[in-house]
Amino acid sequence: MRLRESGDAFAHACRIAATSGAGTLVYVGRFDLAEFAVVLEPNEPLRTARRAFYAGMVALTDALRAYAPPMKAVTIDWPDAVRIDGGLVGGGRLGWAASAREDEPRPWLVFGAMTRTVAMTGEDAGIHPLASALEQEGFGEAGAVQVTESFARHLMLAFDAWQVDGFESVARDYLARLPRERQTLQRIDENGDLLVRRIGSCRARRHGLVEALREPTWLDPETGGPRL
């Protein structure tokens, strides 16, 4: 489902999710951003179904890696921000019904993503050293359409791997994209929380996924695009 440039793919997908069905892909037709959202219908309780967010993030980063120049690092700041060689280009988010109960299967989830393809500020790249765009990173002709199509393909691959090899295969791919702290081990708990344990310690630090997803770390609420 294509929206006009002023549309909001994530908000629209959340509005129609209950009636549109699994696999519905909503995207916005603009050249400076790849903005899209997909409706999911997980057959498990909400507390574990949120792990679908990680499959979406793996698919998003794999979609970018498919077009990335050699040696370009595509990484994730837990849980939702995507960087290319350290420059923020966008990220992902997850939506679910406000009335959802943790212990019941939900009729829908929505994974949404946004990637800056072209910098529109008109300023030198050094003005915003922590932000970037695909064009600045040498992605060539990889625009919004190409990134969206690549994401859809990689999302199906991620869910297929989940079904065949279990969630651990998705978690392993996701964790491989996080910056690593020395002498630590990371894993994703059954409810989606990130657990970080220092080698030699019996206790792990817990980073709650639900709380982290309430406000996307990469999204500028004033501009509606990735932060600069």
Side-chain angles (χ1 to χ4, degrees):
M1 182 178 297
R2 185 180 187 274
L3 304 181
R4 296 182 180 273
E5 289 189 7
S6 59
D8 184 325
F10 180 75
H12 188 78
C14 288
R15 284 195 297 269
I16 68 172
T19 57
S20 63
T24 300
L25 180 69
V26 180
Y27 70 100
V28 178
R30 54 190 297 179
F31 75 95
D32 59 320
L33 289 173
E35 179 187 351
F36 48 85
V38 63
V39 178
L40 309 173
E41 293 181 353
N43 187 27
E44 57 182 283
L46 177 61
R47 67 181 300 272
T48 59
R50 286 194 191 92
R51 294 179 300 172
F53 173 77
Y54 293 112
M57 291 299 294
V58 167
L60 176 60
T61 49
D62 278 348
L64 296 176
R65 290 168 66 174
Y67 289 101
M71 307 304 292
K72 282 287 181 181
V74 181
T75 59
I76 299 172
D77 287 350
W78 190 87
D80 60 353
V82 175
R83 295 184 181 273
I84 298 175
D85 271 3
L88 180 69
V89 296
R93 58 198 304 196
L94 191 72
W96 58 90
S99 60
R101 296 183 57 177
E102 293 290 305
D103 57 348
E104 295 181 355
R106 297 314 309 155
W108 59 268
L109 295 174
V110 168
F111 177 83
M114 187 182 296
T115 302
R116 186 164 36 224
T117 55
V118 178
M120 298 292 287
T121 61
E123 299 171 333
D124 185 85
I127 300 296
H128 303 287
L130 299 181
S132 192
L134 301 190
E135 182 186 51
Q136 292 176 334
E137 298 295 339
F139 275 62
E141 299 300 319
V145 172
Q146 290 77 16
V147 171
T148 303
E149 292 176 347
S150 183
F151 166 79
R153 291 192 296 270
H154 284 96
L155 184 65
M156 289 188 287
L157 291 173
F159 281 128
D160 183 65
W162 188 338
Q163 291 179 339
V164 173
D165 301 321
F167 175 73
E168 285 304 314
S169 65
V170 175
R172 184 170 56 250
D173 286 345
Y174 176 88
L175 293 173
R177 292 154 171 76
L178 297 182
R180 297 301 300 270
E181 299 179 34
R182 295 184 61 185
Q183 299 296 309
T184 60
L185 299 173
Q186 299 174 320
R187 72 178 181 90
I188 296 174
D189 203 6
E190 182 185 26
N191 68 347
D193 291 353
L194 175 68
L195 302 179
V196 181
R197 180 174 64 85
R198 184 164 293 278
I199 295 175
S201 173
C202 296
R203 304 185 66 177
R205 287 181 286 132
R206 179 178 294 272
H207 303 269
L209 180 64
V210 176
E211 296 78 10
L213 291 178
R214 294 194 189 282
E215 296 290 339
T217 62
W218 53 270
L219 184 65
D220 186 333
E222 294 186 4
T223 66
R227 296 180 184 275
L228 293 173

